[in-house]
Amino acid sequence: MILSIIFLVVGLVLILGGANFLTDGASAIAKRMGISDLVVGLTVVAFGTSAPELAISVFSAVNGSSELAVGNVVGSNIFNVLVIIGVTAMVVPMKIQRSVMINEIPLVILSSVALVVMSNGPWLDGVPSAVITRVDGLLLLLFFAIFMRYTFSQAKSAAPSDPAAANASAVPKMPVWRSVLYVVGGLAALVYGGDRFVAGASDIASALGVSEAVIGLTIVATGTSLPELATSVAAALKGQPGIALGNVIGSNIFNIFMVLGVSATISPLPLGNVGNMDMGVLVGSALMFWVFGWLFGTRTITRVEGSVLVLGYIAYVTALVCAL
């Protein structure tokens, strides 16, 4: 048990550190190739925030721990909206642009609904058990390709001289050799860290007598999202709560369309104990995100609404614990 906890902690540290180095190195290389700050922020940096979830879910799929793979994504997306948006709004009310309310947040809802439909195969088709198949994985990747096409079109239409866009991604400047070293080292840390993390989480689930789904929905999801929470709160204190908004939207879409798409394409993912309650909370949190933005016509998530989101997450985790 102690060794499993060590694997869990060491794996998480390697994953988070690897994602950070990979993002910095890839961003620096992209800038040297003449790619704009905005495109780097919307692609490389957005990928970096989902790299921990990708590493864990892919290794879970390869090792046959499908519940951990799916629970990791579902739990991370729930945590992102209810806790990261909630806590950030409690620090500083979040003003949301009209275009984001109309275009981006509905994509978060769409990705959640798509996952719910795929997870209800037994009810829709009368098959024995719920499985995210390879075909489902390929469809998710097609959705991801459409999202990336939309992202690039938005980047091209943005004003290149926009100072907000220029500051959207703090792209580090470094020599080519260091950029390459960061990318290679980051990938190595992600691969080894993901393998150790999944091994530790699986062993802990077995030792505690709980399902991998519960571990993925809680411990794993929280662990991979804590750095984003810290970054978002720090940005809010600096008067930039919009960073948290973009982080959550991009991460949630990447997690379902790319992370689950890649994982399910590698190996079909039986959902096991990841049930409709979890899927319901996933969709419900995305809908609350959208509704709170429109409420009272101010397009602002207030401190009260942020508190409601956080309380919703506490209620969800309490229900998971009580169901053990």
Side-chain angles (χ1 to χ4, degrees):
M1 182 68 171
I2 295 178
L3 184 60
S4 299
I5 294 175
I6 293 175
F7 280 167
L8 193 74
V9 173
V10 171
L12 182 59
V13 170
L14 286 173
I15 287 170
L16 298 177
N20 185 60
F21 279 108
L22 174 62
T23 302
D24 286 350
S27 297
I29 291 173
K31 283 299 297 176
R32 283 187 173 274
M33 295 173 63
I35 299 175
S36 70
D37 285 341
L38 183 60
V39 173
V40 171
L42 291 171
T43 55
V44 177
V45 177
F47 170 80
T49 62
S50 293
E53 286 87 352
L54 178 63
I56 291 170
S57 292
V58 166
F59 273 97
S60 298
V62 170
N63 294 335
S65 302
S66 62
E67 290 185 28
L68 188 59
V70 180
N72 170 36
V73 167
V74 173
S76 291
N77 281 19
I78 292 172
F79 186 93
N80 284 349
V81 173
L82 296 184
V83 178
I84 293 181
I85 293 296
V87 171
T88 304
M90 289 169 65
V91 175
V92 176
M94 299 180 66
K95 186 74 175 178
I96 305 176
Q97 295 179 353
R98 182 180 179 85
S99 61
V100 173
M101 293 297 304
I102 295 174
N103 298 319
E104 278 80 13
I105 296 181
L107 285 175
V108 176
I109 299 173
L110 173 64
S111 64
S112 302
V113 171
L115 183 56
V116 169
V117 171
M118 291 177 179
S119 68
N120 276 279
W123 181 69
L124 294 172
D125 296 328
V127 296
S129 60
V131 177
I132 300 176
T133 65
R134 283 193 172 92
V135 172
D136 292 334
L138 291 172
L139 287 174
L140 289 174
L141 289 176
L142 288 175
F143 275 124
F144 178 68
I146 294 171
F147 169 67
M148 291 305 297
R149 176 66 183 86
Y150 164 78
T151 298
F152 276 105
S153 68
Q154 290 293 101
K156 288 180 180 178
S157 65
S161 59
D162 182 4
N167 293 328
S169 56
V171 180
K173 294 181 179 179
M174 62 180 74
V176 175
W177 67 268
R178 186 181 298 174
S179 302
V180 174
L181 184 63
Y182 272 33
V183 171
V184 174
L187 283 173
L190 279 172
V191 170
Y192 184 73
D195 181 61
R196 291 300 84 203
F197 189 93
V198 171
S202 299
D203 290 343
I204 290 172
S206 300
L208 296 177
V210 300
S211 68
E212 291 180 350
V214 173
I215 296 294
L217 287 164
T218 54
I219 296 174
V220 177
T222 301
T224 57
S225 297
L226 280 178
E228 295 170 34
L229 174 61
T231 301
S232 297
V233 172
L237 291 173
K238 295 177 182 178
Q240 298 175 316
I243 291 178
L245 182 68
N247 186 21
V248 167
I249 291 174
S251 181
N252 279 26
I253 294 173
F254 266 62
N255 283 349
I256 291 179
F257 287 160
M258 183 188 70
V259 173
L260 278 186
V262 170
S263 301
T265 302
I266 292 173
S267 176
L269 302 174
L271 269 68
N273 290 310
V274 181
N276 276 331
M277 183 192 81
D278 308 300
M279 295 297 178
V281 174
L282 175 68
V283 175
S285 62
L287 286 172
M288 288 173 68
F289 187 15
W290 187 71
V291 170
F292 282 179
W294 283 121
L295 211 56
F296 308 122
T298 62
R299 297 201 310 275
T300 300
I301 299 180
T302 65
R303 286 188 172 90
V304 172
E305 291 166 341
S307 300
V308 171
L309 292 174
V310 173
L311 289 173
Y313 186 76
I314 294 173
Y316 168 63
V317 173
T318 301
L320 283 179
V321 173
C322 291
L324 294 178

